[in-house]
């Protein structure tokens, strides 16, 4: 059978780093409050010349280099983002053009913080369906552009960045020992829309709007939803938490990550955490965390890796990959 195998990975972060202490004087907060409640110590913030397209392009080029490929080898680009350069065309198409790629096709996926998990699942279906052989899956965000910088309950939580994977069609036997995407489970429920949303849009206000969140409400639902979808993925693959080598969760809050890992029985040394360095970069958080753990040598070929995310909508999902 066809399996979607990871061939390369890359990341890109804006030049400017903003530390927690940099918020003191802007809003009533402190390094201590932010670090204690969220685990965040710093985040990268895009300059005017750094956009979702430029960061996505940089991450894509790094992933292509890592794979030993060029844009000519790619059939499809799937970009997970909630902060596109324009309402349309899709920012994926802009990245396609920036890469000098005038063949194949490209589109955006919008599932907020779950975007990358949705995009990997979608790319896997295109590959296994025979519509593409090699896919660039990118998560790129500039959430700094949609933050209300006067709202201390949200502006301290988010950051900008991008990460990318090259997925390639490979041969598998159908067994759990195969390399590639092995199982996935996706969920959404719009009843939770008002707990995490942007208060603008082309068809309503005609403006871009700002991020609004009832943090406590999101927190309340997060751990249960995350663990449910992971357990569904485990049972699809016929594995338990003990079989995992690495858990790479969405990086929203260290307390949510710790509580989810504890509930699932995933040992702390197997959990990849970058929220301290990047803050919540929405659809870019999982590929940025993956890229960190691959580049420092933790994730190696053959390792069993679980990706997970939960975000606005609500949307949530998990993907199991053998590296
Ligand atoms: N600095 C200081 N005090 C603050 C700040 C701040 N930056 N922000 C809020 N506070 C205050 C509040 O006003 C409140 O004060 P009050 O008690 O006088 O009313 C107090 O701190 C406690 O507020 P809570 O919201 O109860 O704090 P909590 O412990 O829940 O932490 C947080 C807030 C960090 C937002 C947490 O709820 C959280 O992480 N929620 C989940 C967010 C998340 O995971 N989002 C993921 C999806 S993101 C996406 O999809 C785009």
């Amino acid at each position: 059978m066809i399996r979607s195998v990871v061939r390369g990975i890359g990341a890109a972060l804006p030049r400017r780093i903003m530390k927690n202490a940099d918020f003191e004087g802007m809003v009533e907060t402190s390094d201590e409050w932010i670090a204690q409640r969220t685990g965040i110590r710093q985040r990268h913030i895009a300059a005017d010349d750094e956009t979702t397209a430029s960061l996505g392009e940089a991450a894509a080029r790094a992933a292509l280099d890592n794979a030993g490929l060029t844009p000519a080898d790619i059939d499809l680009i799937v970009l997970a983002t909630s902060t596109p350069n324009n309402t349309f065309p899709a920012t994926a198409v802009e990245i396609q053009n920036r890469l000098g790629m005038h063949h194949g096709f490209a589109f955006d996926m919008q599932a907020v913080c779950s975007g990358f998990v949705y995009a990997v699942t979608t790319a896997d279906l295109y590959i296994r369906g025979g519509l593409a052989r090699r896919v660039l899956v990118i998560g790129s965000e500039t959430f700094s552009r949609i933050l209300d910088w006067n709202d201390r309950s949200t502006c301290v939580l988010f950051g900008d960045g991008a990460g990318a994977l090259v997925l390639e069609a490979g041969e598998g036997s159908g067994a759990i020992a195969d390399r590639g995407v092995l199982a996935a489970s996706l969920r959404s429920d719009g009843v939770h829309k008002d707990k995490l949303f942007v208060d603008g849009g082309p068809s309503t206000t005609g403006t871009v709007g700002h991020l609004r969140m009832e943090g406590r409400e999101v927190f309340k639902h997060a751990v249960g939803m995350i663990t449910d979808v992971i357990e569904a993925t485990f049972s699809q693959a016929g594995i338990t938490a003990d079989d995992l080598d690495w858990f790479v969760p969405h990086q929203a809050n260290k307390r949510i990550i710790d509580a989810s890992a504890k509930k699932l029985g995933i040992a702390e040394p197997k959990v990849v955490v970058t929220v301290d360095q990047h803050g919540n970069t929405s659809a870019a958080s999982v590929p940025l965390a993956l890229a960190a753990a691959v580049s420092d040598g933790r994730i190696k070929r053959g390792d069993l890796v679980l990706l997970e995310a939960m975000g606005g909508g609500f949307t949530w999902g998990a993907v199991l990959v053998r590296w």
Side-chain angles (χ1 to χ4, degrees):
M1 67 177 289
I2 298 173
R3 291 286 198 192
S4 307
V5 177
V6 176
R7 167 127 181 201
I9 184 160
L13 288 160
R15 296 179 293 271
R16 180 179 161 221
I17 291 174
M18 188 171 180
K19 304 263 188 199
N20 288 350
D22 298 334
F23 285 94
E24 295 169 10
M26 285 174 60
V27 288
E28 211 184 315
T29 190
S30 65
D31 174 34
E32 195 197 351
W33 191 96
I34 301 168
Q36 213 174 60
R37 300 284 180 132
T38 70
I40 299 167
R41 300 207 165 267
Q42 63 171 50
R43 73 286 291 140
H44 291 249
I45 299 293
D48 289 348
D49 65 338
E50 293 171 314
T51 65
T52 295
S54 75
L55 293 167
E57 177 199 357
R61 286 192 186 280
L64 286 168
D65 278 354
N66 183 246
L69 296 172
T70 71
D73 301 311
I74 299 297
D75 308 314
L76 164 63
I77 299 172
V78 185
L79 170 69
T81 191
S82 299
T83 45
N85 273 36
N86 297 89
T87 301
F88 79 77
T91 303
V93 176
E94 188 168 341
I95 293 174
Q96 181 189 21
N97 186 45
R98 283 167 169 265
L99 292 172
M101 198 181 138
H102 303 290
H103 62 278
F105 62 115
F107 59 86
D108 288 358
M109 290 209 76
Q110 218 280 48
V112 203
C113 297
S114 311
F116 193 75
V117 165
Y118 272 58
V120 168
T121 308
T122 304
D124 175 47
L125 291 172
Y126 274 90
I127 289 173
R128 286 194 287 126
L131 271 80
R133 211 182 131 63
R134 291 200 191 95
V135 184
L136 258 173
V137 188
I138 308 169
S140 183
E141 301 278 20
T142 44
F143 261 51
S144 62
R145 310 273 210 257
I146 55 165
L147 295 176
D148 175 349
W149 287 92
N150 297 312
D151 175 12
R152 68 176 181 174
S153 72
T154 54
C155 72
V156 302
L157 303 175
F158 295 89
D160 302 331
L165 283 185
V166 178
L167 286 179
E168 178 178 70
E171 273 297 312
S173 66
I176 198 73
D178 288 351
R179 288 187 69 212
V181 176
L182 300 173
S185 189
L186 301 180
R187 289 295 320 276
S188 68
D189 188 346
V191 79
H192 301 289
K193 180 193 167 187
D194 292 346
K195 299 183 181 83
L196 176 52
F197 66 105
V198 169
D199 63 4
S203 184
T204 50
T205 57
T207 62
V208 172
H210 292 110
L211 183 147
R212 305 291 172 206
M213 176 166 75
E214 291 176 35
R216 216 176 304 193
E217 281 296 309
V218 178
F219 203 118
K220 214 169 73 187
H221 287 87
V223 178
M225 287 177 159
I226 288 165
T227 51
D228 279 358
V229 86
I230 289 173
E231 274 159 5
T233 310
F234 283 171
S235 78
Q236 214 185 97
I239 65 155
T240 70
D242 291 341
D243 298 310
L244 287 182
D245 294 299
W246 299 106
F247 177 42
V248 186
H250 172 46
Q251 309 285 319
N253 185 316
K254 180 72 165 52
R255 285 154 60 209
I256 296 176
I257 295 173
D258 290 346
S260 308
K262 192 171 168 206
K263 196 167 170 201
L264 290 158
I266 301 172
E268 202 188 328
K270 293 182 177 179
V271 184
V272 176
V273 176
T274 50
V275 69
D276 54 330
Q277 298 298 305
H278 303 153
N280 180 349
T281 57
S282 190
S285 96
V286 169
L288 277 169
L290 269 175
V294 170
S295 72
D296 68 18
R298 272 179 290 173
I299 297 180
K300 295 184 197 66
R301 191 184 164 117
D303 283 354
L304 195 57
V305 183
L306 179 73
L307 318 180
E308 159 276 305
M310 184 253 180
F314 293 150
T315 55
W316 64 109
V319 177
L320 187 71
V321 186
R322 189 169 301 279
W323 208 257

